[in-house]
């Protein structure tokens, strides 16, 4: 029986992991706290740790886990920019869930876009107070508009298909273009200049950090709409706020935020937030924020649990782990046919 220390647990996590755990011979201990240098000792005596996107997994945490006997870190998410891979190499194997449901995220991005441009969030609040006025609720058609899609991986491709259904002109930017996709690729600069709407669907890397900042915003159309369901730090939050205040940006819908780690997934309704930028963004009438929930569908949660448990099973059996990643190359196991170390 493989013992798993499961961090940052929410009720919706347990449903499917409990449902499938008996099929994979694992014993899961759930911890509500996030994984960080203070909570890492809780994993001592466990061989596997299951963590999430906003946990802190730096060199200190890696060393603590390793000294406590942990040899596999199973990330139940696609993103892994919160992990010190160099510190983990040769000590702890790391797996992730690269494609739990591209439809979930792409559809949420579409929902945010429609809600924002058709003022659905304002209409909902008004009618709850029996205010049926239409003043201030004028939106615009998506049909015929140009949308710039940054990142054409699985999620980006699904989002492109949805946008085609609306009759939109689609531009795409990706440092690694997929020529099999019927879409017009262009430079990021051209995408900024030409797009009425820009939607981000790319990973966070050194090159993409603050991809949307003062310089790129200045190149965008006046009144551009920005959608981000990928990673918060793709967008310079202060630059975004400045762009909204100056009316350069006509609206923004965010499912992620660069300083979300200690805020999102928790009830902060009785707390005065220290983050002035986030409070100002949320207060803007043309900004819509959801708390990193794009992945949150029944189908995605089921896929997350199954993929994670299958990776753990492969580790226990000594098999190649299909979704293992390391700091040297995130496809090294596919190239060599063996584990990263």
């Amino acid at each position: 029986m493989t013992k798993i220390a499961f961090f940052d647990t929410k009720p919706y996590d347990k449903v499917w992991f409990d449902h499938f755990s008996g099929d994979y011979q694992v014993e899961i201990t759930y911890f509500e706290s996030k994984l960080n240098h203070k909570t890492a000792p809780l994993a001592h005596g466990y061989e596997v740790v299951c963590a999430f996107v906003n946990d802190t997994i730096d060199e200190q945490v890696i060393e603590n886990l390793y000294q406590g006997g942990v040899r596999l870190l199973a990330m139940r998410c696609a993103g892994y920019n919160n992990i010190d891979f160099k510190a983990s190499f040769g000590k702890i194997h790391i797996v992730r869930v690269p494609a739990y449901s591209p439809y979930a995220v792409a559809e949420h991005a579409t929902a945010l876009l429609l809600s924002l441009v058709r003022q659905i969030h304002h209409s909902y609040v008004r009618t709850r107070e029996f205010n049926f006025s239409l003043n201030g609720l004028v939106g615009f058609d998506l049909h015929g508009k140009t949308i710039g899609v940054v990142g054409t991986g699985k999620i980006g491709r699904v989002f492109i298909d949805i946008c085609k259904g609306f009759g939109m002109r689609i531009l795409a930017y990706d440092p690694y273009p997929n020529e099999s996709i019927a879409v017009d690729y262009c430079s990021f600069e051209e995408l900024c200049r030409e797009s009425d709407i820009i939607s981000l669907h790319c990973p966070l890397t050194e090159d993409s950090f603050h991809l949307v900042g003062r310089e790129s915003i200045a190149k965008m159309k006046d009144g551009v709409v920005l959608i981000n369901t990928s990673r918060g730090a793709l967008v310079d939050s202060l630059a975004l706020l400045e762009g909204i205040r100056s009316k350069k940006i006509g609206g923004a819908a965010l499912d992620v935020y660069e300083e979300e780690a200690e805020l999102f997934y928790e009830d902060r309704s009785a707390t005065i937030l220290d983050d002035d930028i986030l409070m100002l963004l949320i207060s803007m009438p043309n900004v819509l924020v959801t708390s990193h929930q794009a992945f949150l569908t029944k189908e995605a949660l089921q896929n997350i649990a199954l993929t994670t448990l299958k990776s753990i099973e492969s580790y226990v059996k000594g098999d190649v782990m299909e979704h293992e990643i390391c700091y040297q190359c995130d496809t090294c196991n596919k190239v060599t046919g063996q584990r990263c170390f």
Side-chain angles (χ1 to χ4, degrees):
M1 186 73 71
T2 305
K3 295 176 61 179
I4 303 172
F6 195 106
F7 285 88
D8 200 9
T9 306
K10 298 294 186 291
Y12 47 79
D13 291 317
K14 295 182 64 176
V15 172
W16 289 108
F17 275 91
D18 282 347
H19 180 79
F20 293 119
S21 61
D23 298 331
Y24 289 89
Q25 299 299 305
V26 297
E27 179 183 327
I28 305 175
T29 301
Y30 294 102
F31 299 104
E32 292 185 6
S33 56
K34 288 182 170 63
L35 177 60
N36 53 46
H37 70 278
K38 292 182 178 179
T39 60
L42 293 172
H44 286 198
Y46 293 84
E47 190 174 5
V48 180
V49 159
C50 186
F52 198 48
V53 65
N54 284 331
D55 291 334
T56 301
I57 311 171
D58 55 19
E59 182 178 5
Q60 182 181 355
V61 171
I62 290 290
E63 186 61 28
N64 196 306
L65 294 178
Y66 180 70
Q67 293 299 326
V70 174
R71 295 297 180 264
L72 176 67
L73 175 61
M75 301 298 296
R76 58 185 190 278
C77 54
Y80 49 83
N81 54 281
N82 56 328
I83 303 172
D84 187 332
F85 281 97
K86 190 172 183 179
S88 67
F89 186 74
K91 296 179 178 178
I92 297 177
H93 295 276
I94 299 173
V95 293
R96 67 174 181 136
V97 183
Y100 35 83
S101 175
Y103 304 101
V105 180
E107 289 171 8
H108 190 76
T110 308
L112 288 175
L113 174 59
L114 285 168
S115 296
L116 185 66
V117 304
R118 297 306 304 271
Q119 310 285 345
I120 302 300
H121 53 311
H122 293 307
S123 295
Y124 173 77
V125 173
R126 284 189 184 186
T127 55
R128 296 273 293 180
E129 298 176 349
F130 305 106
N131 177 356
F132 303 107
S133 169
L134 298 182
N135 293 332
L137 300 181
V138 177
F140 63 80
D141 292 353
L142 295 182
H143 182 85
K145 297 298 187 297
T146 297
I147 186 162
V149 180
V150 181
T152 55
K154 290 184 174 69
I155 296 171
R157 293 197 298 271
V158 173
F159 185 74
I160 286 170
D161 288 341
I162 294 172
C163 292
K164 287 179 179 178
F166 282 105
M168 305 180 77
R169 175 195 175 210
I170 302 168
L171 296 177
Y173 166 73
D174 195 307
Y176 306 99
N178 186 336
E179 301 302 334
S180 67
I181 305 174
V183 67
D184 293 328
Y185 279 102
C186 63
S187 67
F188 181 63
E189 290 73 17
E190 182 181 350
L191 184 144
C192 289
R193 289 195 304 268
E194 297 292 325
S195 299
D196 302 299
I197 302 159
I198 296 174
S199 189
L200 305 179
H201 300 281
C202 57
L204 177 62
T205 66
E206 289 184 4
D207 293 332
S208 65
F209 177 77
H210 283 183
L211 183 68
V212 175
R214 288 188 179 91
E215 185 177 341
S216 56
I217 290 173
K219 297 175 182 177
M220 295 177 187
K221 281 187 175 183
D222 291 343
V224 66
V225 172
L226 178 68
I227 311 295
N228 187 10
T229 53
S230 282
R231 290 291 176 264
L234 294 172
V235 178
D236 181 337
S237 302
L238 181 56
L240 173 63
L241 181 60
E242 292 170 351
I244 292 168
R245 280 175 156 170
S246 68
K247 299 181 175 59
K248 178 70 175 180
I249 297 177
L254 312 172
D255 187 55
V256 289
Y257 175 68
E258 63 179 324
E259 300 296 336
E260 71 177 53
E262 299 303 320
L263 297 172
F264 284 15
Y265 305 119
E266 307 296 339
D267 182 358
R268 306 294 185 190
S269 59
T271 304
I272 297 175
L273 301 185
D274 294 328
D275 193 323
D276 293 339
I277 294 176
L278 180 59
M279 287 197 295
L280 287 169
L281 284 172
I282 291 175
S283 72
M284 296 293 176
N286 56 344
V287 175
L288 178 58
V289 177
T290 54
S291 55
H292 208 145
Q293 73 177 76
F295 77 98
L296 198 63
T297 66
K298 292 179 181 178
E299 294 82 359
L301 291 170
Q302 180 177 351
N303 289 336
I304 287 170
L306 275 173
T307 302
T308 302
L309 290 169
K310 286 178 181 178
S311 291
I312 294 170
E313 181 182 55
S314 295
Y315 166 77
V316 172
K317 290 181 176 179
D319 296 338
V320 173
M321 291 174 286
E322 180 183 358
H323 304 304
E324 182 172 11
I325 48 179
C326 73
Y327 85 99
Q328 292 180 319
C329 173
D330 65 359
T331 58
C332 60
N333 58 326
K334 295 178 184 177
V335 173
T336 64
Q338 58 188 6
R339 294 191 181 196
C340 291
F341 56 88

